[in-house]
Structure formats: structure tokens, C-alpha cells
Amino acid sequence: MENLKVLITREQIAARIADMGREITRDSAGEPVIFVGVLKGAAIFLSDLVRSVGLDATFEFIGVASYAMGQNPAEQRLAWDSTGEVRLTKDVDQSLREKNIILVEDILDTGLTLTFLKRLLLGHQPRSFRVATLLDKPLRRKLAIEADYVGFTIPDEFVVGYGLDYAEKYRNLPDICVISNIL
Ligand code: IMP
Ligand code: MG
């Protein structure tokens, strides 16, 4: 049976997001910003982050999937460890040309997803492009890419909750937990 252990509490998450919001507000100094959330994992983080900034902010969602990703946990675990190619499942609904973009990710792991999305979004020729990720697992990085705003740097463990899933489960847990006893 899967086992869950709290790594980051809801209170720690809330406090850190308040800090990130202040940082983003300061850096963007009165400019309008479009937050682009990566489905589905970043939806909960985005909803808290946008309410912590004092800016003229709007948001969009973009969807990606790994080609190796299947429905069952074994395949998902495989996808997590693969060099999996990324594909777009939902594009943004507007042109981002000349806009200030902040891409919002749940977790930066190998860097494959972010590298793919950065290239795609830079193709829109935005005015500025920055990345905010709630979690960062630098030990797993395969491609050299970093976020501008990082909530928490965590060890090489599989985590769930606060938007993050294991086979689509546990996204609604309010705390971020390490899951063990998975394949
Ligand atoms: P990357 O392309 O390897 O950087 O992975 C990014 C995506 O992999 C994230 O947006 C998550 O969907 C997924 N992922 C990576 N690590 C974890 C984890 O620990 N828990 C849940 N999902 C993860
Ligand atoms: Mg996932």
C-alpha cells in the first residue's frame, strides 16, 4: 500500500507563496503580467499565487503530456524516469506577443517539460519571460534550465499533494507529501 509522509505543510506553502507574490510584485513594478499555468499540476499553485500578487494580472493554461505517459501507475512511473518527449495537449487561448509572461509550474524535475514550453512560448515573442515553480528537484536535472522563482528545493523523492499527482490521485491533499511504496 502507498505510504504518505508530510514534507511541506499547508502553512509553509502559504507563507512561501506570500513571499513569492511580493517578489513578483516588486520585480514587475506595475506592469501587467500574464500567468501561464501548466495543467494540471500547477492549477492549485497558480490560484494561490495570482491572489498573492498586487499586479494587473490575468491567467492562461497550457497543457502538456509525456508520450510515454499512460493511465496505469507502472507506465506513469516509467514516464517519470524516461527521457520522455513532451507534447502539447492544450495551447494558450491568446497571442502572448509583447506580453510579460510568467510560466507557472508545479515542479521542475528533469527540465524536459520546461525546456519544451520555454521554446514554445518564446516563439510568441513575449516582452518578458520568467518561470515560477513551486518545487525544484535539481538532483534530477537532465537539461540545464532553472526557474526565476522557486518555492522550495526538495530532495530526489516523488511527492504528491497541492496539485501534484501519482496516477491522477492525491492532487487535492492540502500538504505536500512524499509517497513511498510505489513501483
Ligand atoms: P520534467 O519535465 O522532468 O521537469 O517534469 C516535470 C513534470 O513531471 C511535472 O510537471 C510533473 O507533472 C511531473 N513530476 C516530476 N516529479 C514529480 C513528483 O515528484 N511528483 C509528481 N509529479 C512529478
Ligand atoms: Mg503529473
Side-chain angles (χ1 to χ4, degrees):
M1 197 42 208
E2 294 139 31
N3 182 48
L4 299 172
K5 208 178 105 224
V6 175
L7 179 68
I8 306 169
T9 65
R10 64 201 77 180
E11 292 82 10
Q12 290 172 311
I13 297 169
R16 184 68 191 115
I17 292 177
D19 287 345
M20 293 174 88
R22 276 189 287 272
E23 221 182 313
I24 291 171
T25 303
R26 192 191 58 220
D27 292 351
S28 295
E31 295 231 13
V33 170
I34 303 180
F35 290 84
V36 179
V38 185
L39 292 172
K40 304 172 199 168
I44 293 176
F45 174 43
L46 182 140
S47 74
D48 283 339
L49 186 65
V50 292
R51 286 179 288 172
S52 77
V53 296
L55 293 169
D56 168 4
T58 57
F59 55 86
E60 284 279 329
F61 286 101
I62 198 163
V64 287
S66 164
Y67 279 110
M69 189 71 79
Q71 284 308 304
N72 72 64
E75 278 178 66
Q76 192 182 57
R77 175 67 193 208
L78 189 73
W80 182 54
D81 279 332
S82 77
T83 54
E85 259 178 281
V86 181
R87 71 190 163 90
L88 195 67
T89 56
K90 187 212 169 291
D91 206 346
V92 288
D93 297 328
Q94 59 168 304
S95 165
L96 304 176
R97 195 179 167 83
E98 283 304 311
K99 309 284 188 186
N100 299 303
I101 306 308
I102 298 183
L103 183 68
V104 181
E105 260 284 30
D106 53 356
I107 186 164
L108 177 52
D109 188 32
T110 62
L112 285 159
T113 307
L114 184 57
T115 301
F116 173 87
L117 286 173
K118 184 175 180 178
R119 188 180 308 142
L120 183 90
L121 294 174
L122 286 179
H124 282 257
Q125 298 181 279
R127 182 183 178 83
S128 65
F129 177 83
R130 280 169 294 158
V131 177
T133 187
L134 180 63
L135 303 175
D136 186 7
K137 278 200 276 198
L139 290 172
R140 296 248 317 157
R141 204 78 89 250
K142 288 179 178 161
L143 298 177
I145 190 161
E146 299 301 331
D148 301 277
Y149 305 100
V150 175
F152 301 91
T153 299
I154 63 167
D156 179 10
E157 308 241 43
F158 200 83
V159 291
V160 296
Y162 197 78
L164 291 121
D165 73 307
Y166 171 63
E168 294 300 324
K169 277 174 65 182
Y170 307 116
R171 292 194 197 275
N172 63 325
L173 294 180
D175 307 304
I176 294 171
C177 302
V178 172
I179 186 167
S180 52
N181 285 350
I182 54 176
L183 296 163

